[in-house]
Amino acid sequence: MKLTTLDDWLSGPEAQANPIRGRRVFVRADLNVPLDSGRIVDDSRLKASVGSVKRLCTAGARVILASHLGRPKGERVDSLSLAPLAPAFSERSGLPVTFVEDCVGETAATAANALGEGEVLLLENLRFHRGETQNQPEFSRALATLAELYVNDAFGTAHRAHASTVGMVAHASAAAAGDLMLDEIQHLSAILRPERPLLCLLGGGKVSDKLGALQNLAERADILAVGGAMAYTFLAARDEAVGNSRVESDRIGEAQRLLDRAAAGQYELLLPTDHVVSQTLDGSGESKIVRSIPAGWMGVDIGPETAARYAAAAHAARTLFWNGPMGIFEIEPFAKGTEHVARAVADSPATSVVGGGDSLAAVNGLGIGNRVGHRSTGGGASLEFVQGLELPGLKALEQ
Ligand code: ADP
Ligand code: MG
C-alpha cells in the first residue's frame, strides 16, 4: 500500500514545488464522539484528530474540517450537531476554529473562502445530507468545491464508501492520508504480519456482527477465543445446553463449520467452559457460576475458569487482537470476565491491539488503557483491516 502522506506534502520534494501555505485543505476526520446533551463524554477521538490539523495549520493551510456524528439518516437532528465540537477542538488544538451550520452550499463556500491561513472551519454533520452515506456524485462534487486538497484522517470510517471518504477524493487536486490514519495502519499491520502465536479474542453482543470476521481471522490466527453472546451460538452448535442465552439459530451452521475446521487442526478454537448465568439481564436477580447452563437461565459472562484460560492464552501469545467484551460488562456483576481478560491483555508481553468502542471502554474504565499496545479509534474499521479486507477509504487514497 503506497499512500501519499503529510510528510510528502510538508517536507518532501513536492513541498517545494507545491507549498501548502494559503491552500484550502479538506480534512475528513472522525469526530464521532459520544455526547450527552451536548457534553462530550469521551474526547479520545477529538484529541486523536488534532495532530494532522495542527501540522497543516502550522504550514499555513486553511483547513476545512468535516466529520459525521451519530446516525441522523440524512436529515437535520439538532442533538447531533457538530457545533459543540468547534470550541472543544479549538481548546485541544490551540487553533482558531469557526463553525458553519451546513457542510455544502453557499454558506459553507462563503465561510471556506473567508478562512485565513492557519485557521480551521468546522462543517456541520456530513450525515445531515443523505448524499453522504449514499455516496451521491452531486454531494461529493459539492463537498469537493470547498477545497483544493484532500486529507483523510478518519480511520474509524475508512471501511465505509461514503461521499466524504471515497466519492469526493477523485475531485481533489491531491489527496493524502493523515497522521492518525497512518498510525492506525502501522499498528494494525502487526496483526496481518504477526509474530506467532497470534491470538484473536472476539466477543460482543451478536454473533452475526462478527462471524464473518471470525471466519477470516481463522485463516491467519493460531488461536481464536470466543466470549460474549457469540459463544452461545457455538455451544448450541455443539449441542450443549444454552438455556435462554442469546443464540442466533440461523448461524449455527456457520459456527459448526468453524468448529469442524478447528477439529481438523487448522487453528485452536477456545470456547467458554463455565459461565455466569442469570434470569434477568439488568443485574437485579440472582446470578451463579455454572458449567452447564440450566433451563430458564442465560449466559451473561464467561466464568472464572474460562477467564483464566483466555488470560493464559493472552500471556502466551506474541501478537494479540481483541474486539468485543466477554459479557454484559456494563452491569457490574457481569463484568468480571471482561475485566480479567482486559487485565491479561494489558499485562501480556504480546504486541496487542484493542478495537471496538465497548472493549476500549472496558480497558479504559479499569485505568489500564495505556498498557495496551495500541487502542484503535476504529471498531468496525479495525476489525475489517485485520481480516486483510480492503478498506474503501484507503483504496480511494491510493488512486
Ligand atoms: P465493541 O464495541 O467492543 O466492538 P460490541 O459492540 O460488539 O463490542 O459488543 C458489546 C456489547 O455486547 C455490550 O453492550 C455487551 O453488553 C454485549 N454483550 C456481551 N456479552 C453478552 C451476553 N452474554 N449477552 C448479551 N449481550 C452481551
Ligand atoms: Mg459496541
Side-chain angles (χ1 to χ4, degrees), residues 114-315:
L115 210 53
E117 289 180 7
E119 292 177 1
V120 181
L121 173 68
L122 177 64
L123 304 179
E124 182 55 289
N125 196 338
L126 292 161
R127 292 192 189 166
F128 284 179
H129 291 264
R130 212 168 293 283
E132 166 63 358
T133 55
Q134 294 180 352
N135 192 14
Q136 284 171 1
E138 319 83 83
F139 185 71
S140 297
R141 266 193 298 276
L143 287 174
T145 56
L146 297 176
E148 296 101 48
L149 303 173
Y150 172 88
V151 171
N152 192 345
D153 210 21
F155 178 73
T157 331
H159 60 316
R160 304 283 183 222
H162 293 169
S164 68
T165 58
V166 172
M168 70 179 289
V169 185
H171 299 293
S173 65
D179 290 350
L180 176 62
M181 185 72 96
L182 289 176
D183 184 61
E184 288 278 7
I185 293 170
Q186 193 201 329
H187 281 103
L188 290 165
S189 295
I191 310 298
L192 294 177
R193 290 185 293 275
E195 276 190 70
R196 299 203 175 266
L198 166 63
L199 166 70
C200 293
L201 278 156
L202 261 79
K206 282 168 77 187
V207 74
S208 45
D209 278 354
K210 290 175 187 173
L211 201 60
L214 262 179
Q215 282 159 343
N216 286 331
L217 288 171
E219 305 286 337
R220 33 184 104 241
D222 301 289
I223 310 171
L224 297 171
V226 177
M230 304 177 76
Y232 312 114
T233 300
F234 282 87
L235 297 184
R238 278 207 312 215
D239 276 332
E240 287 185 36
V242 291
N244 285 349
S245 306
R246 193 189 272 190
V247 169
E248 291 174 64
S249 39
D250 54 333
R251 303 297 178 143
I252 290 177
E254 286 163 85
Q256 182 62 59
R257 280 188 286 283
L258 274 163
L259 287 163
D260 291 344
R261 283 161 62 195
Q266 286 184 29
Y267 46 82
E268 207 178 326
L269 179 57
L270 305 181
L271 291 174
T273 44
D274 61 346
H275 318 274
V276 178
V277 294
S278 176
Q279 287 174 310
T280 52
L281 286 176
D282 60 3
S284 60
E286 188 200 341
S287 62
K288 55 185 183 181
I289 295 159
V290 297
R291 287 201 173 276
S292 176
I293 302 174
W297 293 70
M298 19 190 180
V300 290
D301 192 11
I302 57 173
E305 176 190 276
T306 306
R309 284 167 53 230
Y310 290 8
H315 286 297

Side-chain angles (χ1 to χ4, degrees), residues 210 356-359:
K210 290 175 187 173
D358 292 297
S359 314

